[in-house]
Amino acid sequence: METMENSLNLHFENNPANQQRLIVFLKQSYSEDELYALGRILSIEKDDYVGRGMTKQQLSGSLVEMIVQRSLIERLFVILESPAYVRPRLYQVFRDLGFKEPFSEDKLREMTEGCFEENKSNSAEKSFSEWLEKCKKSMVLVLGKDNTHETWTRLKMICEQLKMMGYSPFLIKDQPDIGHLTNEEKMLAYAAIARFIVIEKSVPSGHIDEAHICAINRLVGIWLREEGMGDTWMQGDYEVSYHHIKGFTYNKDNLGSIIENGVTWAEEYLKGKEQQLNRIYPFRR
């Protein structure tokens, strides 16, 4: 798995400028109660950073000091990108550290329409909405390391299992390029039309970035990992902050049954989400 030397912590340890930037961001973006909540989530005792009569600036500074001392920066940013805590200005303030803003609904639609145009000749649907509805019922995007015989074979095995369960899995490597889309945008366009995404995360590869992009864009993900293996600790606690992601560990003998468990979870999550949306949106009643 990815070592601590490659983590976000290095961008803040012994770097007063980055620490000050984080202090200002926390002060301007969150209430005092929200700062206390961040401390609780990070398992930092309130007595360790809260003093009598502190200003909000001092509170933010004391919290950042404890986070840096305990090498919790990467965990903090996972929380700051989660739906409950994300603030749009996060991506402007820390753009130089590689943070990427979730795509807007208009941009996602533009990219998925590109997929429709690319596949129109092979589609029986006459409209974009009909095609998208069909995709969201059965298509599953499968991601993971795909540049060795072993890893490609494992991805194909996952696809075969999904086919046996009645889904239509596809691998991004097999999909045609779309002229105006970057590789990142192409992946997200296909991810957005899928019912859910399966990511094989046993070894490091470019899918680490893809997993992060899918997470912040609220796409339902089944994350598979073989026992004793893994790609990066930086995404080790994503499912704590992102309820639309769940990790599953398998061994060489039970991959099929673990995929079934993952699919059962994904379908239950999607069903529950639909029920909640039906209650929230008055125009659905």
Side-chain angles (χ1 to χ4, degrees), residues 77-173:
F77 276 97
V78 169
I79 298 165
L80 296 185
E81 286 194 286
S82 68
Y85 287 93
V86 69
R87 303 290 185 269
R89 59 188 300 271
L90 171 77
Y91 301 100
Q92 281 73 53
V93 174
F94 298 103
R95 186 181 299 278
D96 60 306
L97 300 184
F99 289 95
K100 298 173 183 177
E101 190 170 2
F103 285 86
S104 67
E105 290 187 12
D106 287 343
K107 180 63 174 177
L108 277 176
R109 183 177 178 85
E110 175 191 330
M111 293 190 297
T112 54
E113 285 177 342
C115 290
F116 173 65
E117 293 299 325
E118 188 67 37
N119 291 279
K120 188 187 295 185
S121 60
N122 300 320
S123 174
E125 286 68 42
K126 295 181 179 180
S127 71
F128 170 71
S129 59
E130 290 174 334
W131 174 80
L132 183 60
E133 183 180 5
K134 181 178 179 181
C135 290
K136 295 300 284 188
K137 287 181 178 178
S138 65
M139 291 186 70
V140 178
L141 176 61
V142 178
L143 299 171
K145 186 177 177 65
D146 60 12
N147 59 356
T148 70
H149 175 73
E150 179 182 1
T151 55
W152 182 250
T153 298
R154 181 154 40 190
L155 294 183
K156 297 293 282 187
M157 289 173 59
I158 293 171
C159 288
E160 287 303 314
Q161 180 65 35
L162 290 166
K163 285 180 183 177
M164 288 190 291
M165 298 178 69
Y167 294 95
S168 301
F170 58 101
L171 297 160
I172 199 66
K173 194 173 183 178

Side-chain angles (χ1 to χ4, degrees), residues 236-280:
D237 60 349
Y238 266 39
E239 61 185 293
V240 176
S241 297
Y242 297 105
H243 295 165
H244 56 279
I245 293 169
K246 190 169 180 62
F248 295 85
T249 303
Y250 68 89
N251 58 45
K252 295 185 183 299
D253 299 320
N254 68 355
L255 176 58
S257 62
I258 294 301
I259 292 173
E260 291 180 2
N261 292 343
V263 169
T264 297
W265 166 80
E267 289 293 352
E268 289 177 350
Y269 175 86
L270 288 166
K271 180 180 178 181
K273 180 181 178 182
E274 181 177 351
Q275 291 172 344
Q276 290 182 28
L277 293 177
N278 288 341
R279 288 195 296 269
I280 292 171

Side-chain angles (χ1 to χ4, degrees), residues 35-47:
L35 293 176
Y36 297 144
L38 286 172
R40 288 196 299 272
I41 295 170
L42 293 167
S43 300
I44 301 175
E45 294 291 334
K46 203 170 180 180
D47 290 343

